Amino acid sequence: MSLIVQKFGGTSVADVEKIRSAARKAIRAQRQGHQVVMVVSAMGKNTDRLLKLAGEVSKTPSAREMDMLLSTGEQVSVALVAMAINELGSEAVSLTGGQIGMHTDSSFSKARIQSISTERIERLLNDGKIVVAAGFQGIDDDLNITTLGRGGSDTTAVALAAVLKADACEIYTDVDGVYTTDPRLLPEARRVDVISYDEMLELASLGAGVMHNRSIEFAKKFGVPIHVRSSFSDAEGTMIVTESESTSAPVGGAAMTPDEARVTVLGVPDVPGKSLQLFSAIGDKKIAVDMVVQNVGSEGRADVSFTVPRDELTTTLEAINGVIEQVGASGVTHDEDVSKVSVVGSNMASQTGVASKMFRALADAGVNIQMITTSEIKISALVPRSQASDALRAVHQAFLLHERPADAKSWDEIKADRQPSDDVAMMVQRLRDDALEALTLTGISVLDRQARVTLFGVPDNQGIAADIFETIGAAGIMVDMIVQGFDGHDGSTSVSFTVAAENLPESLTVAEEIAKRHGMRDVQGGGSVAKVTVSGIGLRSHTSVALVLFQELAQSNVNVEMIGTSELQVNAVIDETHAAKAQKGLEKVFADSLGGC
Ligand code: ADP
Ligand code: ASP
Ligand code: MG
């Protein structure tokens, strides 16, 4: 008998009528011959209300008590949904996270799933019951109630689908699928028929709130196809699977994280291990750092800038202040009025001109880019919050995301060409015995014969990044990684990029021309660098990966010249002579997470 997991978000169970309608959907599926597990979120804005209430009682509520409080929202919903199903003539049993055997670690408010026991659910399903499971919550080893993080019911649903080997995982929500960007922000956004795990994981982690990013980690690891669809209509929705709708469009979606903060640690001694101390202190608080840029400064000191979610700024600054003396840095600055705008595309890596197109679109919209980081499938730009919506609209328009790509395929067409993937089966087998949300790495590689070019003293004006990369592109040079950093001292920025080593002389000539045109301070080129890449799933949210990478490089006395992170890769540009040693060292430290691949 086939098994379906159906997840209903807050708006889909916001009132009695909606609860009944969700109940009817589950009953309909059961009457069609499926076993049905429902995963339900708190009603409407209940979680927000509980958060507010806690804030009124305490400025610094304990994380444990917060999870105890927030988990009640889901408990209300599951009971009501089960009652509605019983009332409509089918049989249902509601279960809390603890009752479905959802075991997590003890990181309150961002707990990770360790294991799920399926016996009770399977027994109830075999008895003909509809199981109504509370999303978002679990229990730790001491039976404390934990929660998985905002939006975490998606992760409960996909994790249950994975361990129960469900035939389908349907996510019912208030939009009729995944769009090229949040349709509430841009009405011209287009619903896509099919989006790949890789793109969705990256978009979710960069601000697309339609899916909890960790749910996509599960889906990718276990090969769970996700069907996102509307609670309020029978529209087709979107499939999240291995494939993308287009094999040529450079960008599949755009996302914006409105509430970011930039932190710059000034005058960090430019020796291996110093940035590590900083990031370890932040990593200990389980804060995901993004857009890390190190500006090679003067007199052996560098400014290290990065972004964190704005609501984690205070904790981040506390963590830094705790180690700043030990690190030997001279100070910290921050800006809390910034937003991150990103474009994501699986086909991006093989194409030229994608970055310059994004920068040109931003320049033409009058948006000044404060920082840039790239990785193989995304480009992120940090912009003033007041310009974030204009920035998102501009990039959405530039990549014609409102238009269906000419080669786009529907889910039926993709499904017809599909072969069951051996890799997925192998991975599922291996992960069954593992902690469910444990880090999964798929490889460590080195790309050598690369070169780095850095432009110093780049004026902080709009249009400069566009001009730099248009000029380089016009010279026929293929650029790989790009970072633009923030100079804490004089408000200028520096721009670094990597090219193949054979293109270094030509790149330098072009860079010098650009520097002269804009009155930049200096151009430097470093040949013989290599890009070390650690690949896996969910690498940005598993903050330890970048840390272990830095630690291993620092221990071998290797300086990191550039950093790029995504959910799929962490890249570090280092001196080529250290590359082989670095790769060996990394293979050793990551041996456990790499096992079996
Ligand atoms: P639920 O309560 O059902 O989990 P959420 O509010 O978490 O619903 O997610 C649905 C919302 O996600 C939509 O209303 C939409 O505004 C937002 N969203 C953000 N990015 C996207 C996107 N790329 N596609 C569709 N919806 C998006
Ligand atoms: N109720 C939780 C939240 O609002 C979990 C969820 O809805 O996914 O974040
Ligand atoms: Mg949600």
Side-chain angles (χ1 to χ4, degrees):
M1 196 185 238
S2 67
L3 195 159
I4 297 188
V5 173
Q6 296 186 326
K7 180 255 170 180
F8 293 85
T11 36
S12 310
V13 289
D15 57 36
V16 171
E17 206 25 67
K18 289 186 178 132
I19 286 178
R20 277 203 196 104
S21 146
R24 271 188 224 107
K25 280 208 162 67
I27 294 172
R28 192 190 329 155
Q30 193 189 41
R31 293 196 177 146
Q32 283 166 352
H34 307 289
Q35 293 186 322
V36 183
V37 175
M38 295 173 86
V39 172
V40 185
S41 292
M43 292 172 70
K45 301 247 170 273
N46 221 0
T47 309
D48 291 335
R49 263 195 293 278
L50 293 168
L51 272 169
K52 188 162 166 276
L53 199 57
E56 286 167 17
V57 172
S58 164
K59 281 225 152 36
T60 48
S62 115
R64 180 189 181 280
E65 301 313 329
M66 200 61 160
D67 279 8
M68 179 69 105
L69 177 71
L70 295 189
S71 68
T72 62
E74 272 66 15
Q75 205 171 321
V76 170
S77 314
V78 286
L80 293 173
V81 170
M83 288 176 201
I85 293 173
N86 293 338
E87 194 61 32
L88 290 165
S90 279
E91 287 183 75
V93 176
S94 65
L95 297 174
T96 64
Q99 289 169 333
I100 54 168
M102 172 74 69
H103 286 276
T104 71
D105 64 18
S106 305
S107 323
F108 296 111
S109 86
K110 20 179 119 161
R112 283 196 176 265
I113 302 173
Q114 288 177 329
S115 63
I116 306 174
S117 22
T118 52
E119 294 92 307
R120 186 167 184 178
I121 297 181
E122 281 164 347
R123 196 165 10 98
L124 289 165
L125 291 174
N126 290 336
D127 278 354
K129 306 278 195 297
I130 293 176
V131 172
V132 189
F136 172 61
Q137 54 176 272
I139 46 164
D140 73 2
D141 287 345
D142 291 327
L143 308 182
N144 293 304
I145 295 180
T146 54
T147 67
L148 309 182
R150 295 306 305 271
S153 297
D154 297 327
T155 298
T156 307
V158 181
L160 277 175
V163 294
L164 293 166
K165 304 190 195 84
D167 299 278
C169 181
E170 299 177 335
I171 305 286
Y172 288 95
T173 183
D174 62 356
V175 265
D176 60 359
V178 177
Y179 280 65
T180 48
T181 198
D182 187 344
R184 273 187 227 237
L185 297 177
L186 284 194
E188 65 267 38
R190 177 179 61 86
R191 187 186 61 76
V192 296
D193 287 333
V194 183
I195 188 164
S196 67
Y197 295 132
D198 290 350
E199 288 177 326
M200 193 67 237
L201 179 56
E202 203 56 44
L203 284 168
S205 147
L206 293 169
V210 61
M211 291 297 295
H212 193 226
N213 60 338
R214 282 161 47 196
S215 68
I216 311 298
E217 287 181 35
F218 264 101
K220 179 169 170 163
K221 277 199 228 178
F222 291 92
V224 180
I226 300 179
H227 189 178
V228 181
R229 48 194 313 192
S230 168
S231 273
F232 313 122
S233 79
D234 283 327
E236 260 189 30
T238 299
M239 291 302 299
I240 309 176
V241 289
T242 310
E243 300 86 347
S244 309
E245 61 171 9
S246 158
T247 51
S248 67
V251 172
M256 196 251 282
T257 324
D259 295 319
E260 290 283 290
R262 182 211 22 98
V263 177
T264 301
V265 185
L266 302 167
V268 178
D270 192 16
V271 288
K274 288 297 171 188
S275 314
L276 172 68
Q277 277 179 315
L278 281 176
F279 292 121
S280 303
I282 304 166
D284 285 346
K285 310 268 183 210
K286 291 221 157 53
I287 295 171
V289 165
D290 194 27
M291 298 193 80
V292 181
V293 181
Q294 177 157 332
N295 260 345
V296 183
S298 50
E299 294 151 18
R301 286 177 176 267
D303 297 333
V304 178
S305 297
F306 54 88
T307 57
V308 291
R310 185 157 68 143
D311 57 6
E312 313 233 58
L313 176 64
T314 312
T315 320
T316 305
L317 293 176
E318 276 164 16
I320 294 173
N321 285 325
V323 293
I324 196 159
E325 258 178 52
Q326 213 182 329
V327 170
S330 53
V332 192
T333 65
H334 66 266
D335 180 352
E336 18 181 340
D337 293 318
V338 287
S339 305
K340 183 169 64 186
V341 174
S342 309
V343 296
V344 172
S346 300
N347 307 317
M348 183 181 285
S350 54
Q351 301 190 28
T352 53
V354 185
S356 59
K357 192 175 212 168
M358 173 169 179
F359 305 151
R360 173 55 61 205
L362 293 174
D364 289 349
V367 177
N368 191 20
I369 308 173
Q370 300 185 358
M371 279 169 72
I372 298 167
T373 51
T374 67
S375 79
E376 75 294 358
I377 67 160
K378 65 110 195 178
I379 306 166
S380 293
L382 196 70
V383 303
R385 182 165 307 116
S386 57
Q387 294 186 309
S389 299
D390 291 347
L392 182 68
R393 178 166 300 112
V395 297
H396 194 273
Q397 169 68 38
F399 289 103
L400 303 178
L401 295 183
H402 53 286
E403 287 174 17
R404 195 166 188 265
D407 71 338
K409 286 192 175 152
S410 69
W411 172 230
D412 283 341
E413 287 167 312
I414 290 176
K415 204 163 42 176
D417 294 343
R418 271 187 136 200
Q419 313 272 343
S421 157
D422 295 341
D423 317 4
V424 170
M426 205 181 81
M427 209 180 249
V428 171
Q429 192 52 44
R430 185 171 71 78
L431 283 159
R432 285 273 137 82
D433 318 320
D434 213 336
L436 282 178
E437 276 199 81
L439 174 63
T440 309
L441 296 186
T442 49
I444 291 167
S445 60
V446 169
L447 180 67
D448 56 10
R449 300 203 37 73
Q450 300 296 295
R452 175 182 54 80
V453 176
T454 303
L455 300 151
F456 292 98
V458 177
D460 187 22
N461 300 337
Q462 73 207 38
I464 304 267
D467 187 44
I468 295 174
F469 293 101
E470 280 169 357
T471 312
I472 303 272
I477 300 166
M478 175 103 180
V479 169
D480 181 11
M481 268 168 78
I482 301 173
V483 300
Q484 176 188 319
F486 181 85
D487 188 323
H489 296 281
D490 65 1
S492 70
T493 68
S494 69
V495 175
S496 296
F497 57 91
T498 59
V499 294
E502 75 225 34
N503 289 331
L504 179 63
E506 203 188 345
S507 304
L508 282 174
T509 313
V510 179
E512 265 147 25
E513 242 175 70
I514 299 169
K516 209 184 277 161
R517 183 153 76 228
H518 293 285
M520 297 174 191
R521 199 165 64 233
D522 195 10
V523 173
Q524 274 178 24
S528 11
V529 293
K531 183 172 80 168
V532 182
T533 301
V534 180
S535 306
I537 305 173
L539 299 193
R540 199 180 299 118
S541 54
H542 281 273
T543 47
S544 60
V545 180
L547 281 179
V548 174
L549 176 82
F550 294 145
Q551 198 163 24
E552 176 55 30
L553 296 174
Q555 264 164 15
S556 317
N557 234 7
V558 178
N559 221 0
V560 177
E561 298 187 18
M562 282 165 76
I563 298 159
T565 60
S566 72
E567 289 287 353
L568 303 176
Q569 292 189 351
V570 178
N571 298 299
V573 173
I574 63 171
D575 187 328
E576 192 172 41
T577 52
H578 296 300
K581 188 174 71 175
Q583 183 169 14
K584 271 221 182 74
L586 288 169
E587 277 164 359
K588 210 159 132 207
V589 285
F590 284 122
D592 283 349
S593 313
L594 277 166
C597 291

